[in-house]
């Protein structure tokens, strides 16, 4: 009997600073989403065969977000986590954005995006549990 290979995803967390604390721009998933419907999660998706997580996160960012009609140009991002849990490999990247990001970006999947501080992230019941424990330590000033 063969063991199914784990699902591998590349995920993106845009963030900015609001005073002394970071705020994360997360995806509000709609009720039709195949994974985590109706929850708040990260932008990104499946790493395709022959693709690295680094290539996948750039592709996914362009598919899921656009600015001024053009795919979101993912520059200045960095890999912050390789997490394996429950049969899912998650490679998570962060990218700093400015305070105008939410007004300029168009979210193509889900119901949109929401800014959350680390404290709001922990209190919000719709946030996917694994991200509540992973995200708060990802950025430093």
């Amino acid at each position: 009997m063969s063991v199914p290979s784990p699902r591998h995803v590349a995920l993106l967390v845009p963030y900015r600073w609001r005073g002394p604390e970071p705020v994360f721009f997360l995806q509000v998933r709609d009720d039709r989403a195949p994974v985590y419907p109706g929850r708040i999660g990260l932008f990104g998706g499946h790493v395709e065969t022959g693709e690295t997580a680094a290539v996948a996160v750039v592709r996914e960012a362009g598919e899921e977000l656009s600015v001024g009609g053009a795919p979101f140009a993912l520059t200045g991002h960095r890999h912050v986590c390789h997490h394996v849990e429950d049969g899912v490999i998650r490679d998570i990247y962060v990218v700093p954005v400015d305070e105008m990001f939410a007004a300029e970006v168009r979210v193509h999947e889900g119901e949109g995006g929401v800014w959350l501080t680390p404290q709001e992230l922990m209190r919000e019941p719709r946030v996917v549990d694994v991200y509540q424990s992973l995200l708060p330590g990802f950025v430093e000033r």
Side-chain angles (χ1 to χ4, degrees), residues 43-80:
F43 295 97
H46 185 75
V47 176
E48 303 290 338
T49 302
E51 211 176 32
T52 65
V55 169
V57 77
V58 172
R59 176 182 51 76
E60 288 285 344
E63 290 173 4
E64 295 189 11
L65 301 167
S66 64
V67 176
F72 177 52
L74 189 55
T75 58
H77 64 290
R78 65 184 172 87
H79 186 256
V80 292

Side-chain angles (χ1 to χ4, degrees), residues 19-37:
E21 68 180 346
V23 288
F24 304 106
F25 191 71
L26 304 179
Q27 182 186 45
V28 180
R29 301 176 64 78
D30 61 33
D31 291 332
R32 297 178 313 277
V35 179
Y36 304 127

Side-chain angles (χ1 to χ4, degrees), residues 24-139:
F24 304 106
F25 191 71
L26 304 179
Q27 182 186 45
V28 180
R29 301 176 64 78
D30 61 33
D31 291 332
R32 297 178 313 277
V35 179
Y36 304 127
R39 307 285 304 273
I40 295 174
L42 308 184
F43 295 97
H46 185 75
V47 176
E48 303 290 338
T49 302
E51 211 176 32
T52 65
V55 169
V57 77
V58 172
R59 176 182 51 76
E60 288 285 344
E63 290 173 4
E64 295 189 11
L65 301 167
S66 64
V67 176
F72 177 52
L74 189 55
T75 58
H77 64 290
R78 65 184 172 87
H79 186 256
V80 292
C81 182
H82 179 82
H83 180 263
V84 181
E85 184 178 312
D86 297 332
V88 180
I89 299 168
R90 294 174 181 90
D91 278 296
I92 301 174
Y93 296 78
V94 295
V95 62
V97 296
D98 64 28
E99 62 276 353
M100 295 305 298
F101 180 77
E104 296 171 349
V105 74
R106 179 165 178 238
V107 177
H108 297 286
E109 294 183 12
E111 294 180 4
V114 63
W115 290 106
L116 295 175
T117 66
Q119 295 78 22
E120 292 166 336
L121 183 82
M122 298 304 288
R123 290 191 309 260
E124 172 57 62
R126 294 178 300 156
V127 172
V128 175
D129 301 351
V130 68
Y131 304 134
Q132 286 179 319
S133 62
L134 288 177
L135 286 181
F138 280 172
V139 295

